[in-house]
Amino acid sequence: MGIVYLAALLTGTVCMLMLDHRFRLFFWRDARAAAIVTGVGILSLLGWDLAGIGLGIFLRGEGAIATGVMLGPQLPLEEPVFLLFLVLCTMVLYTGARRILGRSSRLPHESARRPEDRRLEGRPPDDQRLEKKNV
Amino acid sequence: MTYLWLSLVFVALAAVVGVACVRKGASSSEARQHWKAAGLAFGALAVLTATFDSVMIGMELFHYDASHILGLKIGLAPVEDFAYPLAGVLVLPGLWVWLTRGRKPVQRRYLKGLIPQALLASRPISWINTAYPFAAAMFLTTREVDWVLVVGTLYFLIPYNLAMYGINDVFDYASDLQNPRKGGIEGALLQPRLHRPMLWLAAITNVPFLVVLALAGSPAAWLSIAVSAFAVVAYSVAGLRFKERPVLDSLTSSTHFVSPAVVALTLAGAEMTPGLLILLAAFFLWGMAAHAFGAVQDIEPDRQANIASIATVFGARRTVRLAVVLWLVAGLAMLATPWPGPLAAAIAVPYIANCAPWWNVTDTTAGRTNTAWRRFIWLNYGSGFLVTLILILQWNLTS
């Protein structure tokens, strides 16, 4: 049972990376920038956690689904993994939202899409591929 | 409440960095789309947080000290937990936009160079002159390093000098243009496009500190803080321009250096003994002398720019002599303070020796006193060293 939470977090993380890969959103769009954003995100959120722990706000639970491995006082192994997942989830949601917003605003003149947009996405728009499948 | 405050600090930080990144990295139309997307992402994250945070808390993965949280909950999740995704969407997408900005036409950077210019303008070499009087006065009174000491010292180290010299350089631009002395160690010409941002920067960096320090003190502290801040602004701001009102200029300038110590003493609730008052008076005379002597070298550029100062009105010779006399009186005054104060009388000697060779200076040779002025800047470090030794002695005698 002790591995459930960690496994769930890792599964979620992998799912986010798959979405990222599929839609060329984050790491698959600009790996360097994505690495910096992820690093900054995890470190600052970890700082926030440590501040909360220092102030006595956050207390680790004795949940049966946690490994119980501690990185520091009140700081379980799962926490940085959770923060990684949170950052990835945030960025996939954000970049995904921008993709959708960008598309709907360009719909009236879809043909005016600049070629670089295709290159960035790395593949033809999804609707075209779906159509091919249906045929 | 602790968790709420902690969260607000991080959210505020995230917002500042996020907004700055977007302003630098995106055009206005892109920025609109950016914030829309960030809003959508936050909506989704809020739903996820309400759901999964409740699940995680329900599974007893972690809990909160009840005395530190508001107690307001969505599901099982305390509202403060929503600050995490909020801070995330405020800063991370902004950082991303800024890092990947090369793919878009780059916006003109209006604020480029503001921070380096502001630091140069704030005379880092003189930062210690205002931070030290505060820290020393506070530490000797309370005899401990508390947060007021740390915050106040930081304030008088950088933001205070940034305001003092930043405001000064903005309103001095015209006369500085004619003065070759203002490009290096003693300050910097400030480009006109940075004038307004500089004033904003001074306000933003000063007001929070002043409010926090005022909250920590009594009405006496409020008064000294108000006088200190007023002197900083009044010295150079258009309309008041105390620096162009002879004698008032020296009085205001000296206030710049003595007021940090007075603020510290009032914040610490020090008892105003005669010895302490004499010490502050001597310090004040020292500050007036320093200003008056510093003004001598600028007599010619000031007159060309039609600017009045204690030195343009009294003339070079009388101003130098006045400075020597003020330093002498400051030194003699220290002899009247309780032991080990009289030792500080010796500190006046190098200042008098540095200034005395210009006893017979004329208005035409006034510019040459710059040599002594440059030495003066380093003399202050030596004086600081001696003052520190005397203060350590005082500390040991009273403990």
Side-chain angles (χ1 to χ4, degrees):
Chain A
M1 274 298 278
I3 201 75
V4 173
Y5 180 37
L6 187 60
L9 287 173
L10 289 173
T11 308
T13 303
V14 170
C15 288
M16 287 303 138
L17 289 173
M18 284 168 75
L19 280 170
D20 180 3
H21 174 256
R22 166 66 183 79
F23 295 105
R24 300 278 190 268
L25 293 171
F26 189 44
F27 273 94
W28 274 269
R29 172 125 180 239
D30 186 335
R32 200 178 138 267
I36 295 173
V37 169
T38 308
V40 168
I42 292 177
L43 287 179
S44 359
L45 291 170
L46 212 50
W48 190 342
D49 275 340
L50 291 174
I53 290 166
L55 290 167
I57 303 164
F58 302 144
L59 303 167
R60 184 183 73 98
E62 300 297 336
I65 62 166
T67 57
V69 178
M70 302 302 284
L71 298 175
Q74 312 291 339
L75 186 73
L77 167 70
E78 283 89 345
E79 188 61 18
V81 185
F82 168 72
L83 297 178
L84 168 67
F85 169 76
L86 181 62
V87 169
L88 284 176
C89 188
T90 303
M91 289 312 294
V92 165
L93 280 167
Y94 166 77
T95 47
R98 282 220 45 182
R99 180 72 53 83
I100 291 164
L101 287 172
R103 250 186 213 164
S104 59
S105 70
R106 269 197 298 263
L107 260 183
H109 26 251
E110 183 76 20
S111 58
R113 282 183 65 161
R114 289 167 298 157
E116 63 182 289
D117 280 16
R118 278 176 211 278
R119 201 178 63 232
L120 290 176
E121 286 164 31
R123 57 186 71 196
D126 320 329
D127 38 359
Q128 285 179 19
R129 302 202 316 151
L130 280 176
E131 277 165 24
K132 268 180 205 161
K133 247 184 225 166
N134 289 343
V135 171
Chain B
M1 288 295 277
T2 326
Y3 188 16
L4 184 66
W5 286 117
L6 176 68
S7 302
L8 286 178
V9 168
F10 276 90
V11 170
L13 272 176
V16 169
V17 176
V19 169
C21 281
V22 173
R23 288 190 72 146
K24 287 216 143 205
S27 68
S28 59
S29 65
E30 280 171 327
R32 215 171 306 125
Q33 204 195 60
H34 164 87
W35 291 115
K36 221 189 265 179
L40 286 172
F42 179 67
L45 280 169
V47 173
L48 291 172
T49 303
T51 314
F52 289 99
D53 211 30
S54 296
V55 171
M56 284 148 80
I57 292 166
M59 293 289 224
E60 293 179 356
L61 284 170
F62 46 83
H63 55 100
Y64 302 89
D65 186 329
S67 64
H68 288 315
I69 59 173
L70 278 179
L72 210 59
K73 287 180 181 177
I74 296 172
L76 294 175
V79 281
E80 294 97 323
D81 262 359
F82 290 82
Y84 270 71
L86 180 59
V89 289
L90 282 172
V91 68
L92 298 176
L95 187 59
W96 167 256
V97 163
W98 181 67
L99 286 169
T100 56
R101 71 196 178 285
R103 293 178 169 167
K104 300 147 199 162
V106 180
Q107 200 192 7
R108 228 186 106 195
R109 313 244 171 84
Y110 289 102
L111 300 179
K112 195 159 188 285
L114 175 64
I115 301 294
Q117 276 281 327
L119 288 179
L120 191 58
S122 74
R123 312 335 185 237
I125 201 160
S126 302
W127 284 358
I128 191 74
N129 295 353
T130 48
Y132 187 83
F134 178 89
M138 189 95 196
F139 189 57
L140 281 173
T141 311
T142 63
R143 304 185 82 93
E144 63 172 8
V145 179
D146 60 5
W147 71 266
V148 183
L149 174 69
V150 174
V151 170
T153 306
L154 266 178
Y155 170 67
F156 284 108
L157 189 69
I158 303 173
Y160 180 79
N161 284 295
L162 205 130
M164 181 153 68
Y165 294 110
I167 295 171
N168 181 64
D169 285 6
V170 168
F171 290 98
D172 270 17
Y173 185 72
S175 61
D176 277 7
L177 214 52
Q178 300 171 357
N179 191 343
R181 198 169 59 77
K182 295 283 177 74
I185 192 172
E186 293 146 46
L189 270 180
L190 195 62
Q191 300 165 44
R193 71 180 174 89
L194 290 178
H195 285 182
R196 190 173 286 269
M198 179 66 82
L199 296 179
W200 272 109
L201 187 67
I204 292 165
T205 51
N206 275 259
V207 172
F209 277 99
L210 292 171
V211 170
V212 168
L213 288 177
L215 286 175
S218 61
W222 303 344
L223 182 68
S224 62
I225 290 170
V227 169
S228 176
F230 177 73
V232 162
V233 176
Y235 188 66
S236 48
V237 78
L240 292 170
R241 298 291 289 170
F242 284 6
K243 68 183 294 180
E244 292 180 20
R245 299 170 197 268
V247 184
L248 188 57
D249 56 353
S250 293
L251 292 168
T252 314
S253 172
S254 189
T255 306
H256 292 158
F257 298 98
V258 180
S259 70
V262 177
V263 168
L265 293 169
T266 51
L267 277 176
E271 191 195 340
M272 287 293 170
T273 59
L276 190 54
L277 289 174
I278 294 171
L279 184 149
L280 288 173
F283 187 16
F284 196 82
L285 294 177
W286 171 90
M288 282 189 71
H291 175 272
F293 185 65
V296 172
Q297 61 190 324
D298 286 332
I299 284 180
E300 203 169 324
D302 279 352
R303 281 183 179 157
Q304 277 171 10
N306 236 344
I307 292 170
S309 78
I310 191 166
T312 63
V313 170
F314 286 6
R317 186 170 298 173
R318 278 163 69 194
T319 311
V320 166
R321 290 178 180 184
L322 174 69
V324 172
V325 170
L326 287 173
W327 272 318
L328 188 67
V329 174
L332 292 174
M334 285 313 292
L335 293 175
T337 60
W339 184 259
L343 287 175
I347 295 172
V349 176
Y351 288 100
I352 295 168
N354 182 38
C355 185
W358 278 273
W359 187 258
N360 288 320
V361 74
T362 64
D363 288 2
T364 43
T365 56
R368 292 189 210 156
T369 58
N370 179 247
T371 320
W373 179 254
R374 286 172 171 277
R375 274 203 298 268
F376 169 84
I377 290 175
W378 296 107
L379 268 184
N380 289 341
Y381 282 88
S383 308
F385 168 68
L386 292 176
V387 167
T388 307
L389 290 184
I390 295 167
L391 292 179
I392 292 170
L393 188 57
Q394 151 82 12
W395 176 281
N396 287 333
L397 288 173
T398 52
S399 59

